[in-house]
Amino acid sequence: MRWPFCHFTIFVFLFCLHGPTRFADAAPPSSILQPVPPPTMATPKRLSTLGSPQRLPPIHPLERSAPPSLAFPEEIPPPIADRIRIVQSGHQDPLHWWDALVRDPLLPESRWVKFNLQTLLADALANSPRIESVNQQNQVALEGILDQEATFDSRLLLDNRYGRTSDPVGNSLVTGGPPRLREEDWGTNLGIRKQTRLGGEFEFRQELGLLNSNSLFFIPPNQGNSRLTVSLSQPILAGGGQLYAERLILEARLNSQATDQEAIQEIQSTLAELMLSYWNLYERRSQLIQQNDLLQRGIHLEQIVQGRRDLDTGPIEHLRIKEQLTIRKTRILRTRTDLENQQTRITALIGSQNLRHDLINEMIPLGNPQTSFEKTDLRQAVLTGLHHRPELAIAAAELETKGLQLQISRNQLLPQLNALVEAYVAGLNGRSDVAGSFADQFSEGEPGFSAALEFEMPVGRRSAHAKNRAAMASYQKQLAEVRKTVLVIRSDTEIAVREMNVTQQVIAYRQATLLAALAEEQYLTRRWELLGGDGSSAGLIIEDLLEAQNRRTAAEELLVTAQVEYLRAVIRLHLAMGTLLVEQPLSTRPVPPPLSIAQ
């Protein structure tokens, strides 16, 4: 395009009149053009890097007086250099220039804490009320096993009694003469009772007593008696056998296994939510930096328009730029609110009192979403999910419980047949000689015994058959639930693998889009700085340039979103495979030390 000579003369005259800074009024000083070096920081073992409140330099050096409608540009550190010059200098990667700035404080009056993902997870395991709740629930299930095991503990029996009777006599053969029968009886029973693991009950009992009566037929007087009894009651058909006797213990163990898996599932869900929130926080911080840079590029453009107001710009260009600046400021406010909301979610998930808002108002993640991509084998991922997924273990434990109930119902189909056996030895002496009676029960006479069989069977046994059919239906229902769980795990894992693989491709496309948007903005910027003409043509070019700036920032945001989405997909894949928390059982898992923040 050939300019008319008059246009060229006016351009040279205005250039000499205003100087080169008039046309590049938004270019930063030479010291700011140097790439901002990434901050040097050691990865903390705990959340222990706390910043004290201080007034920090603005995020952009190009505009020192921020408009009143924007609440924080003057107080957001650190300065962001002009990205076009950074790209041209070749010292920074245009696809990740914001990474170093994410790790610096961004909010005004910042009381910040820096942390990595491992620290975050360890502090959540130590402080989260949700995790503490599921751990306590697991402890309740473990105590339930001990409660049922205690059914077979031996029980000590002690019975002490004293009685005195004074009854009128209507038959002289009762007392042999006295009109009232007067007796005094004292006795004590000491024994052991134990439930056997075959369903029977064993009892060992020693009785000692004193008995005296005014009856003339009571010989010898002042009796001291002793009796040692051993008895056993054993179900033979219904209610017998080790399986029936220990059914409650088995159910408690299966319940504990299911509770343990539920706890693992809840902990993995909590940790996955925390990891997603961690990377969401990184994404919001990156977008806040990108949008602030977009705002400053708009301010840069506004300064150039102001410098060319007497050449080829008019009121329409100023209005368009003002409109865009207002929109960009609004987006910054919205992004900052989302960032603070994300911090609140992380604080709630961790549950540490050291992260209260009055102590910490900015959380700075040290993670970097740039990762090496690895191809995931779909078949191996599905097999891993079937091996580790808590839902399948829970469904399998429930299936075992239903199978146990089915076996118990089959046992109840049998008739009731009990065997009773009892043997005893006894001693009796006068003059209240209880000790002599106790010795005589082992040396005098012989043992006595008894044996019996008890049989009972309901006619038709309709209740037992109904319970058996219900138990069979419950077992079949739970078997279908297991198959459904397998299909859900397979589908979740396959979807997670595909999502992770496709995000790898999306990142490559987002990078290409950003490079194209960057080249477009550079071209339109250079074209607008050099193009002269009337106000209408310059206005159209400004509008195109503003849209190009928006497209570039949108491409940067989409790239960060794609990078974070890849990590989200990795987290969802591990959650689908159940491998976020693959360690020893919760009852033996060590508890990490509590969160500490250096003041």
Side-chain angles (χ1 to χ4, degrees):
M1 178 177 180
R2 299 177 61 87
W3 286 7
F5 179 78
C6 62
H7 287 179
F8 178 79
T9 305
I10 295 174
F11 179 83
V12 173
F13 172 78
L14 290 177
F15 185 86
C16 296
L17 178 64
H18 297 288
T21 56
R22 248 344 198 177
F23 294 91
D25 201 22
S30 58
S31 59
I32 302 180
L33 294 179
Q34 301 301 324
V36 180
T40 302
M41 59 186 71
T43 301
K45 295 184 178 180
R46 314 298 308 156
L47 301 184
S48 58
T49 311
L50 178 66
S52 58
Q54 55 183 332
R55 185 173 183 84
L56 298 169
I59 190 169
H60 295 289
L62 306 181
E63 179 62 46
R64 297 297 178 178
S65 57
S69 60
L70 194 61
F72 57 94
E74 288 188 349
E75 301 180 355
I76 297 182
I80 298 178
D82 183 73
R83 292 181 299 175
I84 297 177
R85 306 296 286 277
I86 291 177
V87 172
Q88 292 175 350
S89 65
H91 294 296
Q92 292 285 347
D93 183 0
L95 301 178
H96 308 99
W97 62 268
W98 52 86
D99 281 346
L101 303 176
V102 171
R103 300 182 182 90
D104 288 335
L106 299 179
L107 301 182
E109 300 296 331
S110 179
R111 301 181 301 276
W112 48 263
V113 59
K114 297 183 179 182
F115 54 90
N116 55 24
L117 186 58
Q118 290 76 13
T119 299
L120 200 67
L121 299 180
D123 288 321
L125 290 173
N127 298 283
S128 175
R130 292 171 58 176
I131 295 178
E132 177 64 21
S133 174
V134 297
N135 282 332
Q136 293 302 324
Q137 182 62 32
N138 186 69
Q139 185 64 30
V140 170
L142 290 176
E143 296 298 335
I145 299 176
L146 296 179
D147 180 37
Q148 296 302 328
E149 286 279 1
T151 303
F152 300 101
D153 293 346
S154 299
R155 286 170 285 175
L156 295 177
L157 307 176
L158 178 62
D159 179 18
N160 214 353
R161 66 186 183 278
Y162 173 79
R164 186 179 185 276
T165 61
S166 179
D167 298 330
V169 176
N171 188 342
S172 61
L173 297 176
V174 175
T175 61
R180 298 185 70 86
L181 177 64
R182 293 183 175 89
E183 293 182 342
E184 292 183 0
D185 183 15
W186 170 85
T188 181
N189 292 334
L190 179 64
I192 296 176
R193 183 179 298 159
K194 181 177 177 60
Q195 189 82 17
T196 70
R197 293 186 178 268
L198 294 177
E201 184 178 79
F202 172 81
E203 184 174 317
F204 178 90
R205 184 175 66 251
Q206 175 69 58
E207 301 178 18
L208 300 173
L210 295 174
L211 179 61
N212 192 20
S213 176
N214 66 342
S215 173
L216 300 178
F217 303 113
F218 188 75
I219 301 173
N222 298 321
Q223 293 178 1
N225 54 72
S226 174
R227 184 185 181 92
L228 177 63
T229 305
V230 179
S231 63
L232 176 65
S233 173
Q234 176 63 51
I236 298 177
L237 296 179
Q242 185 176 1
L243 177 65
Y244 187 88
E246 296 182 348
R247 66 191 185 283
L248 297 180
I249 297 177
L250 296 176
E251 288 184 359
R253 289 176 179 173
L254 293 173
N255 178 66
S256 177
Q257 294 176 11
T259 303
D260 186 80
Q261 294 299 321
E262 289 174 357
I264 292 176
Q265 181 182 9
E266 179 65 22
I267 291 175
Q268 288 194 114
S269 177
T270 302
L271 295 183
E273 185 177 354
L274 187 59
M275 295 167 71
L276 293 174
S277 299
Y278 177 86
W279 291 116
N280 289 341
L281 178 62
Y282 173 89
E283 180 182 9
R284 295 295 181 272
R285 292 177 64 84
S286 299
Q287 291 174 351
L288 181 62
I289 294 172
Q290 293 163 349
Q291 291 172 11
N292 272 275
D293 181 65
L294 176 63
L295 174 64
Q296 295 305 319
R297 281 185 283 138
I299 295 175
H300 179 192
L301 190 59
E302 182 185 33
Q303 293 172 343
I304 298 179
V305 169
Q306 183 68 21
R308 296 172 61 163
R309 62 183 180 272
D310 297 330
L311 177 61
D312 54 1
T313 60
I316 187 62
E317 288 78 18
H318 291 275
L319 292 176
R320 288 174 179 172
I321 294 178
K322 289 293 185 183
E323 177 187 6
Q324 282 295 320
L325 292 180
T326 303
I327 294 174
R328 294 172 185 182
K329 295 172 186 177
T330 304
R331 291 190 60 194
I332 290 175
L333 293 176
R334 179 69 264 174
T335 303
R336 175 182 169 179
T337 302
D338 293 342
L339 185 152
E340 293 176 336
N341 293 341
Q342 202 65 46
Q343 293 181 164
T344 302
R345 295 187 185 96
I346 293 177
T347 302
L349 288 172
I350 295 178
S352 173
Q353 293 298 320
N354 292 328
L355 292 179
R356 298 195 315 269
H357 189 268
D358 58 337
L359 298 177
I360 300 295
N361 71 341
E362 183 171 6
M363 306 176 70
I364 304 177
L366 298 176
N368 191 327
Q370 300 180 28
T371 57
S372 58
F373 302 134
E374 297 181 0
K375 187 68 175 179
T376 302
D377 182 70
L378 181 59
R379 181 177 180 275
Q380 185 62 37
V382 171
L383 293 177
T384 303
L386 294 176
H387 181 70
H388 291 290
R389 188 79 172 261
E391 290 91 329
L392 186 57
I394 294 172
E398 185 65 25
L399 182 63
E400 290 189 49
T401 302
K402 298 300 182 182
L404 175 63
Q405 294 174 355
L406 179 60
Q407 289 181 300
I408 298 302
S409 68
R410 289 174 178 172
N411 179 275
Q412 293 300 302
L413 291 174
L414 301 173
Q416 190 77 32
L417 180 62
N418 298 334
L420 305 175
V421 179
E422 181 177 331
Y424 71 93
V425 292
L428 178 64
N429 285 284
R431 300 187 302 276
S432 301
D433 189 7
V434 177
S437 299
F438 180 79
D440 289 346
Q441 73 182 2
F442 299 105
S443 59
E444 298 289 337
E446 62 279 335
F449 71 92
S450 64
L453 288 176
E454 293 180 349
F455 180 82
E456 180 182 350
M457 184 181 69
V459 178
R461 294 178 292 177
R462 293 191 299 168
S463 176
H465 282 291
K467 291 179 180 179
N468 178 254
R469 290 192 296 269
M472 176 60 74
S474 297
Y475 181 81
Q476 294 295 334
K477 176 179 178 295
Q478 187 59 34
L479 188 61
E481 290 292 330
V482 172
R483 293 197 297 266
K484 183 180 75 172
T485 303
V486 171
L487 294 177
V488 170
I489 293 174
R490 181 185 295 273
S491 63
D492 289 348
T493 306
E494 290 179 356
I495 292 173
V497 170
R498 294 192 188 97
E499 289 295 329
M500 188 184 69
N501 291 335
V502 75
T503 52
Q504 299 177 10
Q505 303 176 12
V506 170
I507 291 176
Y509 289 128
R510 297 302 187 197
Q511 291 175 344
T513 302
L514 175 55
L515 292 176
L518 178 62
E520 179 187 15
E521 182 188 3
Q522 290 176 335
Y523 171 77
L524 291 177
T525 301
R526 186 61 178 169
R527 175 188 176 190
W528 185 80
E529 289 177 347
L530 297 178
L531 182 62
D534 57 8
S536 60
S537 62
L540 294 177
I541 297 176
I542 288 178
E543 184 173 355
D544 292 341
L545 181 54
L546 290 172
E547 290 300 323
Q549 290 180 347
N550 292 334
R551 283 193 295 270
R552 174 182 171 181
T553 300
E556 292 174 343
E557 293 178 352
L558 290 175
L559 176 58
V560 173
T561 300
Q563 293 172 339
V564 173
E565 186 59 34
Y566 171 76
L567 296 175
R568 294 193 193 106
V570 173
I571 296 170
R572 296 189 185 102
L573 176 59
H574 282 283
L575 191 61
M577 295 189 301
T579 54
L580 272 180
L581 191 67
V582 182
E583 290 185 319
Q584 62 268 34
L586 293 178
S587 57
T588 60
R589 184 173 300 118
V591 178
L595 177 145
S596 60
I597 297 182
Q599 298 295 337

